[in-house]
Amino acid sequence: MKNIIVGQSGGPTAVINSSLLGVYKTAKDRGADTVYGMVHGIKGLLDGNVVDLSTRIRNELDMDLLKRTPSSFLGSCRYKLPDVNGHEDTYEKIFATLKKLDVCAFFYIGGNDSMDTIMRLTDYGNKIGSPIRFIGVPKTIDNDLAVTDHTPGFGSAAKYIAATTKEIIRDGLVYDYPVVSVIEVMGRNAGWLTAATALARGEDCEGVDEIYLPERVFDVDAFITRMGERLKENRSVVVAVSEGVKIADGRYVCELSDHVDYVDAFGHKQLAGTARFLAGRIAEKYGVKTRAIELSSLQRCAAHIQARIDVTEAYNCGGAAVKAAFEGKTGLVITLKRVSDDPYMCVAEAADVHEIANVEKKVPPEWITEDGTYVRQELVHYIMPLIQAEITPLWVNGLPRHVRLNETPLKR
Amino acid sequence: MKNIIVGQSGGPTAVINSSLLGVYKTAKDRGADTVYGMVHGIKGLLDGNVVDLSTRIRNELDMDLLKRTPSSFLGSCRYKLPDVNGHEDTYEKIFATLKKLDVCAFFYIGGNDSMDTIMRLTDYGNKIGSPIRFIGVPKTIDNDLAVTDHTPGFGSAAKYIAATTKEIIRDGLVYDYPVVSVIEVMGRNAGWLTAATALARGEDCEGVDEIYLPERVFDVDAFITRMGERLKENRSVVVAVSEGVKIADGRYVCELSDHVDYVDAFGHKQLAGTARFLAGRIAEKYGVKTRAIELSSLQRCAAHIQARIDVTEAYNCGGAAVKAAFEGKTGLVITLKRVSDDPYMCVAEAADVHEIANVEKKVPPEWITEDGTYVRQELVHYIMPLIQAEITPLWVNGLPRHVRLNETPLKR
């Protein structure tokens, strides 16, 4: 018996399906019989929603399209497993299903919330003496996982953000009157993605003028004053702000404006409107044209800009997870270790899931300028290798081609 | 004497610099001495802000980068020439400058507002018996120019919108709970760009569920009711709305929300917030997760997705303008004539500027479904050839490379 099962959880990335392919292909190469996929993660498993992946990934073309397909191919969930005490029935049900499917290993591709699932299943499995191995495959555009040098998904999102920021900066200079563009970037508590806007600055680009990360308290009045000073010097001012910036009393800047609240299953508020609020304040104060640009969900789904390095690493993390499980390991999360900065070289290793689950890695204070309005060159050097090289979309009839789960005919 | 001058005006497109290159290179090929560029259009000319383009476009690499550079290389303006009566001084100043530069032809790359400039200069030139030829080169992502089959810039914007919409649709299906995504697309009075979201539907994509163009009166209550019905059938609902949709009393939907107003020199209101307003109403009514996605200025500056056909046609329109001027013609705007639909073939022709200036071409009623919630297949067939084929960005250090006017050293 060498069946395995794999699921995807949390927000998608542009390369989450490369990790799925890494799990699938490596398992097949190493002699797995059936590779099952959980549809909508652990929640789907609990509902009995499982597919045989080899009926869905049928050939090499499917594999190359899968790598280029945004969103999670198997569907995702934001479901937090309950504490085992008092909820033994949930765990019994999961393990009964896994036994029925005769799987020897369980892989979960996700971020720090999803690694909580791997941790709980590992702990319960150890408690009941289950032989099933549980391995986490890292994934998040937010880059906020502990231990690992970076997370698969971050590089492609950073590449999209930096490329788009370059275009916005050029566009901002088109007219001969003052314009302030406020770019809102994802990242609730960690500023890694917002910091990626710093990569726009280069031989052919002025770069953004200021960068505000959620690691620092945001002062609205000081910001407005600084914008006034920038407007004295430049026709076009472009600033990047994290969606997660907060003022001194702990409120998000976007909460200062009217907005629709939505709280997910993990208790995270859905944030939006920071750029809009700030752009409005600048327009009000200085009477200039302002633009609020929310990069929105495109940051996690713009598969038409993928960093080749990120695709490869995402695939390798999936493959390394299978290798570890097939070597008998459990309770691990695959991590990336940067062996060398220049030339950039990185290998997959593994860490105990208890070190990673529910831990958030933020931008270190020494990588932010003292006044908190930009990032230091060390941070640019850290991100730059991760956005390198390209993978071309497969353009069909003028548009990037994708694959989707439900269109692949089932073999019965 | 065979000097010429060229300017760019109005909002940029992803291929407006291909038209600039078409003017520059064709003029040089046909023996022009100096090709002058107006910096920030006619307003720059009035201020004496003129450059010698051959000092800025130095070699073949510059040319290939120029084609791939977003925003208007020469800078743009939204300056409307005053009525000649009572403002003879403005016209005298322009013609004196043109005489001083010894130019035989004046080219202006722009939309219907910018063609007003060509019309007024032609009329004044004819009145004073000037030998200078005035030719307009069409440009606008909005595709709202009269006479021409379509406008350069529209195809690339449509390709970006359709590709992005495909990604948003995949992303919307990632979770197992209901989500309504409202995509807001540019196009104040004409729905061409919003209609381009229809191209997402295909073998690998469900497509958007509903499309609302500004050509039809928008009924907020009917829309909310329809969304409720969609939510009964689908987990993920994706709708596209034009930023310019208006309710029966003539107010823009975005005016129903709080927002910052900005009115440009042509009296156009800057619109934004339609998707946000509608998403808020849906969340309020049905208690579901909603996402408001404004494609914002990325629609006009996402040069990393260009339609090759659009780049070629933009270049050809610039070249055809030079050819017409050098053949002694004036008072024309270059137009595109679709010679054949399948296979798609298109040639450059020319029309009298008086037929084009200040005229807006809207989506014909017969290309919108009767209930006004989608577009007909004829419209998809019209747009589809215009997004075909690709031009790869020149990726340098992980990002698309651009050129900018001010970094090129001046030869003195």
Side-chain angles (χ1 to χ4, degrees):
Chain A
M1 82 96 175
K2 240 183 172 178
N3 298 340
I4 67 154
I5 191 163
V6 56
Q8 296 173 304
S9 174
T13 78
V15 300
I16 191 169
N17 294 325
S18 292
S19 289
L20 178 65
L21 186 64
V23 169
Y24 174 78
K25 198 155 178 307
T26 308
K28 282 291 187 185
D29 289 350
R30 288 177 173 256
D33 294 327
T34 304
V35 177
Y36 291 108
M38 306 170 222
V39 180
H40 296 296
I42 190 74
K43 192 148 179 283
L45 182 69
L46 276 164
D47 298 340
N49 199 353
V50 168
V51 294
D52 174 353
L53 261 180
S54 58
T55 66
R56 314 303 175 111
I57 304 172
R58 297 159 304 174
N59 50 43
E60 289 179 349
L61 179 57
D62 276 358
M63 293 185 199
D64 256 28
L65 289 172
L66 184 58
K67 276 195 257 180
R68 291 162 170 87
T69 295
S71 189
S72 304
F73 181 70
L74 286 171
S76 184
C77 67
R78 286 198 183 278
Y79 178 80
K80 202 177 171 78
L81 276 180
D83 194 83
V84 65
N85 296 315
H87 298 90
E88 287 84 358
D89 53 334
T90 302
Y91 289 84
E92 283 160 14
K93 190 172 174 188
I94 291 170
F95 277 77
T97 306
L98 296 178
K99 196 175 173 189
K100 207 180 86 191
L101 295 173
D102 202 17
V103 301
C104 67
F106 175 109
F107 303 93
Y108 215 43
I109 308 167
N112 39 30
D113 285 337
S114 311
M115 291 310 124
D116 179 83
T117 299
I118 285 290
M119 184 177 70
R120 287 170 188 267
L121 292 176
T122 302
D123 292 349
Y124 184 83
N126 287 342
K127 198 172 118 186
I128 63 166
S130 165
I132 300 170
R133 276 88 84 184
F134 295 91
I135 309 275
V137 181
K139 167 274 351 166
T140 168
I141 60 168
D142 291 332
N143 198 40
D144 59 354
L145 246 61
V147 187
T148 188
D149 177 76
H150 60 279
T151 55
F154 172 64
S156 294
K159 189 182 183 85
Y160 173 79
I161 290 166
T164 299
T165 299
K166 280 190 74 173
E167 294 174 333
I168 291 167
I169 291 166
R170 288 261 64 70
D171 190 82
L173 284 158
V174 71
Y175 294 120
D176 56 350
Y177 50 74
V179 181
V180 179
S181 306
V182 185
I183 306 176
E184 180 173 329
V185 186
M186 279 186 173
R188 193 173 287 107
N189 300 315
W192 300 105
L193 285 174
T194 308
T197 58
L199 275 60
R201 185 175 288 172
E203 288 175 4
D204 63 338
C205 185
E206 296 78 0
V208 294
D209 297 292
E210 311 209 335
I211 299 176
Y212 293 92
L213 309 190
E215 282 80 358
R216 288 291 192 91
V217 169
F218 189 87
D219 181 333
V220 176
D221 291 334
F223 170 79
I224 299 296
T225 304
R226 286 185 67 89
M227 289 300 103
E229 282 155 23
R230 290 274 172 197
L231 279 165
K232 284 181 201 156
E233 294 159 24
N234 303 305
R235 185 170 36 124
S236 170
V237 179
V238 182
V239 294
V241 290
S242 163
E243 61 175 4
V245 288
K246 285 178 182 170
I247 58 174
D249 69 7
R251 277 181 299 163
Y252 287 110
V253 169
C254 62
E255 290 182 277
L256 307 177
S257 174
D258 71 302
H259 68 299
V260 179
D261 246 337
Y262 174 86
V263 179
D264 73 14
F266 289 89
H268 301 148
K269 277 187 188 173
Q270 296 300 296
L271 311 176
T274 305
R276 199 174 170 78
F277 171 76
L278 294 174
R281 289 288 306 272
I282 297 164
E284 204 173 79
K285 174 93 178 188
Y286 302 110
V288 295
K289 181 167 171 58
T290 60
R291 301 187 305 173
I293 300 168
E294 287 178 16
L295 297 183
S296 73
S297 52
L298 299 174
Q299 291 159 91
R300 70 184 198 190
C301 73
H304 70 272
I305 296 193
Q306 292 176 312
R308 177 95 220 179
I309 198 88
D310 192 24
V311 171
T312 304
E313 290 179 349
Y315 180 95
N316 289 352
C317 283
V322 170
K323 184 167 182 280
F326 280 23
E327 289 169 355
K329 290 167 188 157
T330 188
L332 298 177
V333 178
I334 302 302
T335 54
L336 290 165
K337 184 180 176 172
R338 195 182 293 223
V339 175
S340 163
D341 237 330
D342 186 9
Y344 171 78
M345 289 187 282
C346 201
V347 292
E349 298 193 336
D352 188 315
V353 64
H354 296 84
E355 292 180 55
I356 291 180
N358 306 313
V359 180
E360 271 184 333
K361 184 178 72 180
K362 299 187 179 188
V363 175
E366 63 270 24
W367 282 1
I368 305 171
T369 58
E370 207 168 325
D371 64 1
T373 66
Y374 210 78
V375 299
R376 291 203 193 279
Q377 205 53 28
E378 289 88 332
L379 183 43
V380 172
H381 287 151
Y382 162 82
I383 303 176
M384 196 55 99
L386 312 180
I387 70 158
Q388 293 302 311
E390 290 72 45
I391 174 165
T392 316
L394 291 176
W395 296 95
V396 175
N397 203 14
L399 294 173
R401 188 70 164 203
H402 304 147
V403 278
R404 51 179 171 170
L405 188 63
N406 51 354
E407 68 166 354
T408 318
L410 266 169
K411 272 188 207 149
R412 291 184 194 272
Chain B
M1 80 99 173
K2 239 182 174 180
N3 298 341
I4 67 156
I5 191 162
V6 57
Q8 296 172 304
S9 173
T13 78
V15 300
I16 192 169
N17 294 326
S18 292
S19 289
L20 178 64
L21 185 65
V23 169
Y24 175 77
K25 195 152 181 307
T26 309
K28 282 291 187 186
D29 289 349
R30 288 177 172 256
D33 294 326
T34 304
V35 177
Y36 291 108
M38 307 171 221
V39 179
H40 295 295
I42 189 74
K43 192 147 177 286
L45 182 69
L46 275 163
D47 298 340
N49 199 353
V50 168
V51 294
D52 175 352
L53 261 179
S54 58
T55 66
R56 314 303 174 112
I57 304 172
R58 299 158 302 173
N59 50 43
E60 289 179 350
L61 179 58
D62 276 358
M63 292 186 199
D64 256 27
L65 289 171
L66 184 58
K67 276 196 255 180
R68 291 161 170 86
T69 295
S71 187
S72 304
F73 180 71
L74 286 171
S76 184
C77 66
R78 287 199 183 277
Y79 178 81
K80 202 176 172 76
L81 277 179
D83 194 85
V84 64
N85 297 314
H87 299 90
E88 288 83 359
D89 53 335
T90 302
Y91 290 84
E92 282 160 13
K93 189 172 176 191
I94 291 170
F95 277 77
T97 307
L98 297 178
K99 195 173 174 190
K100 206 180 87 191
L101 296 173
D102 202 17
V103 303
C104 67
F106 175 110
F107 303 95
Y108 215 44
I109 308 168
N112 39 30
D113 284 337
S114 311
M115 292 309 124
D116 178 86
T117 300
I118 285 290
M119 184 177 72
R120 288 171 189 267
L121 292 176
T122 303
D123 292 349
Y124 184 83
N126 286 341
K127 199 173 120 185
I128 64 165
S130 164
I132 300 170
R133 275 88 83 184
F134 296 92
I135 310 275
V137 181
K139 169 275 349 168
T140 169
I141 61 167
D142 292 332
N143 198 40
D144 60 353
L145 246 61
V147 186
T148 187
D149 176 76
H150 59 279
T151 54
F154 172 63
S156 294
K159 188 182 185 87
Y160 173 78
I161 290 165
T164 299
T165 299
K166 281 190 73 174
E167 294 174 333
I168 291 167
I169 291 168
R170 288 262 63 71
D171 190 83
L173 284 158
V174 72
Y175 294 121
D176 56 350
Y177 51 73
V179 182
V180 179
S181 307
V182 185
I183 306 175
E184 180 172 330
V185 187
M186 279 184 172
R188 193 173 286 107
N189 300 315
W192 300 105
L193 285 174
T194 308
T197 58
L199 274 60
R201 185 174 288 173
E203 288 174 2
D204 63 338
C205 185
E206 296 77 1
V208 293
D209 297 293
E210 312 210 334
I211 298 175
Y212 293 91
L213 309 188
E215 282 80 358
R216 288 291 191 92
V217 169
F218 189 85
D219 181 333
V220 176
D221 292 334
F223 170 79
I224 300 295
T225 304
R226 286 186 67 89
M227 287 302 103
E229 282 157 22
R230 289 276 172 197
L231 280 165
K232 285 181 201 156
E233 294 159 25
N234 303 305
R235 186 173 37 138
S236 170
V237 179
V238 182
V239 294
V241 291
S242 163
E243 62 176 3
V245 287
K246 286 178 182 171
I247 59 174
D249 69 8
R251 276 182 299 162
Y252 287 109
V253 169
C254 63
E255 288 181 279
L256 306 178
S257 175
D258 70 305
H259 69 298
V260 178
D261 246 337
Y262 174 86
V263 178
D264 74 13
F266 289 89
H268 302 147
K269 278 187 188 172
Q270 296 300 296
L271 310 176
T274 305
R276 199 174 170 77
F277 172 76
L278 294 175
R281 288 289 306 272
I282 295 164
E284 203 174 79
K285 174 93 178 188
Y286 302 111
V288 295
K289 181 167 171 58
T290 59
R291 302 188 303 174
I293 301 168
E294 287 179 16
L295 297 184
S296 72
S297 52
L298 299 175
Q299 292 160 89
R300 70 184 197 191
C301 71
H304 70 272
I305 295 193
Q306 292 176 313
R308 177 94 220 179
I309 198 88
D310 192 25
V311 171
T312 304
E313 288 178 352
Y315 181 96
N316 288 352
C317 283
V322 171
K323 184 168 185 277
F326 281 23
E327 287 170 354
K329 291 166 189 158
T330 189
L332 298 178
V333 178
I334 301 303
T335 55
L336 289 164
K337 184 179 174 171
R338 195 183 293 224
V339 176
S340 163
D341 238 329
D342 185 9
Y344 171 78
M345 289 187 281
C346 202
V347 292
E349 297 193 336
D352 188 315
V353 65
H354 296 84
E355 291 179 56
I356 289 179
N358 306 312
V359 179
E360 270 183 334
K361 185 178 72 179
K362 298 187 179 186
V363 175
E366 63 270 23
W367 281 1
I368 306 172
T369 58
E370 208 166 325
D371 64 1
T373 65
Y374 210 77
V375 300
R376 291 202 192 280
Q377 205 52 29
E378 289 88 333
L379 182 43
V380 172
H381 287 153
Y382 162 81
I383 303 175
M384 196 54 97
L386 312 180
I387 69 157
Q388 294 301 313
E390 290 72 45
I391 176 165
T392 316
L394 292 176
W395 297 95
V396 175
N397 202 13
L399 295 173
R401 188 70 165 205
H402 303 147
V403 278
R404 52 180 171 170
L405 189 62
N406 50 356
E407 69 168 354
T408 317
L410 265 169
K411 273 188 204 146
R412 289 181 197 274

